[in-house]
Amino acid sequence: MILAVDLGGTHVKLGMVADGVLVDEDRILAPATLRELGAVADLGRRMIATHTGSGVRVTRAGVAVPGVVDPRSGRLTSIHDKYAYLVGFDLPGWATEELGLPVVIENDARAALLGEVEAVRTGGGAAVRDAAIVITGTGIGTAVLADGAPLVGPEGYGGVLGGHFTVDLDGPPCNCGNIGCAEAIGGSWNLAAQVRAVVGWERSTLADAGRDDSMSMAVLFGAAASGDAVATGLADRVVDAWAATAVNLCHAYQPELLIFSGGPMRAAAGRRDALADAVRARLWSSLRRPEVRFAESPEHSVVRGLAVLAERKDAR
Ligand SMILES: [Zn+2]
């Protein structure tokens, strides 16, 4: 059995995975400091103890982070949100010591991609050699499988910065230093600010939600579904940003399989067909259209992928 720890934007999700099946899960608010990270280890140890007590052997752990991981050291090189305190921190060493297990550390989107590709294989699908994933959430995570191997690059940046593709030259500034990034439009971290930039938002059904910087995609898509004009306009723009991210990935890497995942994909379930159609319609005309899939369990893509990775890779 493997313990998978997904350090997400708002929550840390922990899962126990046996033979690819998620058998137990728990979550805790994302730690804002290195000190608070201790609570994640406490919960992980409790989960390990519970399953060890029932006779199961927990052999490895995987930890996913929403940032760039140095492929040699397993440490975070760069991140643009609440986990800034992890940059340069010996996360592999910490996790190994705190959990008492060999640990593998990976970028969250890259882990999720491996999990989804593995799910296709075990589901009886043909082996996939070229794939890309777009994971929506607080930001937008991306990853690429090229010629059967995850694209990593010399310092770990390969394929994972798709959320920072420019999709609007007149778009909002991003926290990365660029302007009009996909996730500055299609990630929830900038959603409330975008609501407040729409003329007449105070008279829309988003008048309250738009004042809360932690406004979720579920609120936006819910308001859009009930016909609110401000919400509908912004929801269209968010979906467009997701589509543009996917189109850019396809133009760069020619995946045969394109996967969308992340919690907001449930909230936007009614727009899946429109999203897939938008991607196909905007691709280079002669480019073979990729198969578009939506993760069956978008909240668990990362946890499942970590289990695949921990089983496969020599953990530290
Ligand atoms: Zn950016």
Side-chain angles (χ1 to χ4, degrees):
M1 193 175 281
I2 283 161
L3 170 68
V5 182
D6 173 15
L7 300 180
T10 53
H11 287 91
V12 178
K13 284 174 236 163
L14 293 92
M16 303 297 305
V17 184
D19 296 328
V21 179
L22 184 66
V23 292
D24 187 14
E25 63 176 315
D26 209 336
R27 58 163 59 193
I28 186 170
L29 272 178
T33 62
L34 209 47
R35 202 184 148 86
E36 286 178 29
L37 191 63
V40 176
D42 289 342
L43 179 55
R45 278 194 299 267
R46 279 201 301 278
M47 291 173 74
I48 292 170
T50 301
H51 290 272
T52 306
S54 58
V56 174
R57 223 162 71 83
V58 182
T59 51
R60 286 179 174 187
V63 179
V65 290
V68 181
V69 176
D70 184 306
R72 287 155 307 200
S73 69
R75 298 186 187 204
L76 250 82
T77 313
S78 177
I79 199 161
H80 280 283
D81 66 6
K82 65 178 64 174
Y83 292 110
Y85 60 87
L86 287 181
V87 173
F89 175 64
D90 183 12
L91 187 62
W94 175 88
T96 303
E97 193 175 313
E98 292 288 323
L99 301 172
L101 296 170
V103 172
V104 57
I105 313 274
E106 186 52 282
N107 168 271
D108 53 5
R110 205 178 278 137
L113 175 62
L114 293 177
E116 294 298 333
V117 167
E118 180 68 8
V120 169
R121 194 186 66 80
T122 55
V128 176
R129 292 190 56 79
D130 294 274
I133 194 166
V134 177
I135 307 187
T136 59
T138 309
I140 295 177
T142 65
V144 173
L145 187 76
D147 269 341
L151 188 67
V152 177
E155 293 174 334
Y157 291 80
V160 298
L161 294 185
H164 301 274
F165 285 149
T166 301
V167 298
D168 182 357
L169 287 172
D170 301 315
C174 183
N175 55 20
C176 73
N178 192 10
I179 49 160
C181 287
E183 71 163 55
I185 297 166
S188 66
W189 66 265
N190 202 31
L191 194 54
Q194 289 193 89
V195 170
R196 297 193 294 269
V198 180
V199 175
W201 73 277
E202 302 97 325
R203 294 181 298 282
S204 78
T205 59
L206 295 177
D208 287 336
R211 289 184 169 82
D212 178 0
D213 281 335
S214 60
M215 176 186 163
S216 72
M217 287 290 174
V219 169
L220 175 71
F221 284 98
S226 62
D228 182 272
V230 169
T232 301
L234 187 51
D236 289 348
R237 189 165 154 77
V238 165
V239 174
D240 264 347
W242 297 346
T245 306
V247 168
N248 288 342
L249 282 169
C250 291
H251 285 170
Y253 304 110
Q254 201 193 347
E256 53 190 315
L257 173 65
L258 172 67
I259 302 152
F260 285 100
S261 187
M265 280 299 150
R266 277 202 201 284
R271 288 167 176 263
R272 286 180 180 188
D273 290 345
L275 173 57
D277 288 346
V279 173
R280 291 186 199 105
R282 295 171 197 175
L283 287 176
W284 175 270
S285 58
S286 61
L287 190 70
R288 186 156 49 81
R289 270 46 187 162
E291 178 192 348
V292 179
R293 272 183 184 252
F294 291 87
E296 253 176 56
S297 179
E299 298 84 358
H300 300 125
S301 288
V302 176
V303 166
R304 287 175 200 277
L306 277 174
V308 173
L309 201 64
E311 269 173 10
R312 191 184 292 173
K313 207 166 173 175
D314 289 337
R316 281 161 220 278

